[in-house]
Amino acid sequence: MEECCSTKPKNKEPHKHDHSEGDGHDHSHDTGDKTTFQLFLPAIISFVLLLIGIALDNYIKTEWFTGWVRLVWYLAAYVPVGLPVLKEAYESIIQGDVFSEFFLMGIATVGAFAIGEYPEGVAVMLFYSVGEVFQGMAVTRAKGNIKALLDQRPDEVTVMEGSQPRTIKAKETKIGDIIQLKPGEKLALDGELITESASFNTAALTGESKPDTKTKGEIVLAGMINMNSIALVKVNTAYEDSKLSKILEMVQNATAQKAPTELFIRKFAKVYTPIVVFLAIGICLLPFFFVDDYIFRDWLYRA
């Protein structure tokens, strides 16, 4: 059963459940405000208890570590990492997605406990949970990078009306308006430089840390940071059509879209995963009708 646990692909966005006819169960991860230690604490507790249990099983022979004591010990190791997964499995079933990866992990590990393979059940769930934590950390980091990119776009600009500056919303700026850009300010819209020269930090757009000096008549883009003296820029592109707006739109759309390979795997898994589950059930139960020395425990282990 462990083999089928990897058949359900993962999507990577905050732990929400989105069900659509086309792609089945969709789950993702958000580590929130937890520290790295807090994220790994359940796995650490489980790992320590598992190691002690294995040591008591194989290296430190004790009379008391048998029967229900041994079972309770491994259950204590299983709960920190297993309970959240079983909870997800229950929620998935309630929402109509029976064959989720959580359900498969639950079957595999609970089945291991049912046949007395306690360390195996704990280990499988432990490794899965650690992988989930790493995935959640990667998602959070990616979201942080996107948020940083979104922060590159100023919400307000200073527009010159005659000789008087006035602060307005960037979205209200019209083509032809003159923007006053002070040293250290980010440009909110694409435009044409109308001062003699100005130096800009273009790292947000190009990744280049060296300042780029522009002269009168040259095009400057949203996201550039004015480095030195006050600069005047004539807007030549609407706010929503600026290069930075297009970049942000592409990034945001990319996070909401699934790759063709992922879509194919999801469709494949919707058929493949139930087949594997029912084959496993068949391997466990059908030999009863054909095998003389049928032992349920042995066939459950094979399943």
Side-chain angles (χ1 to χ4, degrees), residues 40-60:
F40 281 102
L41 182 58
I44 293 171
I45 294 172
S46 178
F47 181 66
V48 171
L49 292 176
L50 175 62
L51 286 184
I52 295 173
I54 292 174
L56 292 172
D57 273 338
N58 300 285
Y59 304 105
I60 308 172

Side-chain angles (χ1 to χ4, degrees), residues 71 107-118 296-297 300:
L71 172 60
I107 291 178
T109 54
V110 171
F113 269 81
I115 59 176
E117 297 291 339
Y118 308 143
F296 176 76
R297 184 186 183 282
L300 177 60

Side-chain angles (χ1 to χ4, degrees), residues 112-300:
F113 269 81
I115 59 176
E117 297 291 339
Y118 308 143
E120 182 177 330
V122 175
V124 169
M125 190 62 82
L126 173 62
F127 296 145
Y128 173 79
S129 297
V130 170
E132 291 287 281
V133 172
F134 278 119
Q135 178 175 308
M137 292 172 65
V139 170
T140 299
R141 187 178 295 112
K143 287 184 176 181
N145 292 337
I146 293 173
K147 185 177 184 298
L149 183 59
L150 290 170
D151 289 340
Q152 298 296 327
R153 181 170 52 181
D155 294 324
E156 296 181 337
V157 296
T158 302
V159 175
M160 298 300 296
E161 294 182 348
S163 59
Q164 296 297 319
R166 184 169 72 93
T167 301
I168 64 172
K169 295 290 185 182
K171 291 183 178 180
E172 298 174 1
T173 308
K174 300 180 180 66
I175 294 176
D177 285 348
I178 306 298
I179 294 177
Q180 182 190 72
L181 202 62
K182 298 176 182 177
E185 286 186 337
K186 294 176 186 176
L187 185 59
L189 299 98
D190 298 346
E192 176 186 333
L193 185 66
I194 59 176
T195 50
E196 290 301 322
S197 66
S199 183
F200 293 91
N201 181 338
T202 63
L205 297 174
T206 65
E208 177 60 56
S209 58
K210 184 180 179 181
D212 185 9
T213 300
K214 300 289 186 181
T215 56
K216 185 176 181 178
E218 287 194 85
I219 298 299
V220 288
L221 302 176
M224 292 183 174
I225 302 174
N226 186 23
M227 299 290 289
N228 299 320
S229 57
I230 294 176
L232 296 177
V233 176
K234 183 178 180 180
V235 177
N236 63 8
T237 307
Y239 179 80
E240 61 273 10
D241 295 328
S242 69
K243 292 291 189 296
L244 183 57
S245 294
K246 294 298 183 183
I247 292 172
L248 296 178
E249 184 180 345
M250 290 174 63
V251 171
Q252 289 175 304
N253 288 341
T255 63
Q257 294 175 351
K258 298 179 178 66
T261 303
E262 183 180 0
L263 291 173
F264 169 76
I265 291 174
R266 284 182 173 274
K267 292 177 181 178
F268 178 73
K270 286 183 69 176
V271 177
Y272 171 79
T273 307
I275 290 175
V276 170
V277 172
F278 288 119
L279 282 175
I281 294 173
I283 290 171
C284 179
L285 300 179
L286 290 180
F288 173 79
F289 301 101
F290 304 101
V291 178
D292 294 333
D293 57 344
Y294 175 82
I295 300 174
F296 176 76
R297 184 186 183 282
D298 291 344
W299 287 98
L300 177 60

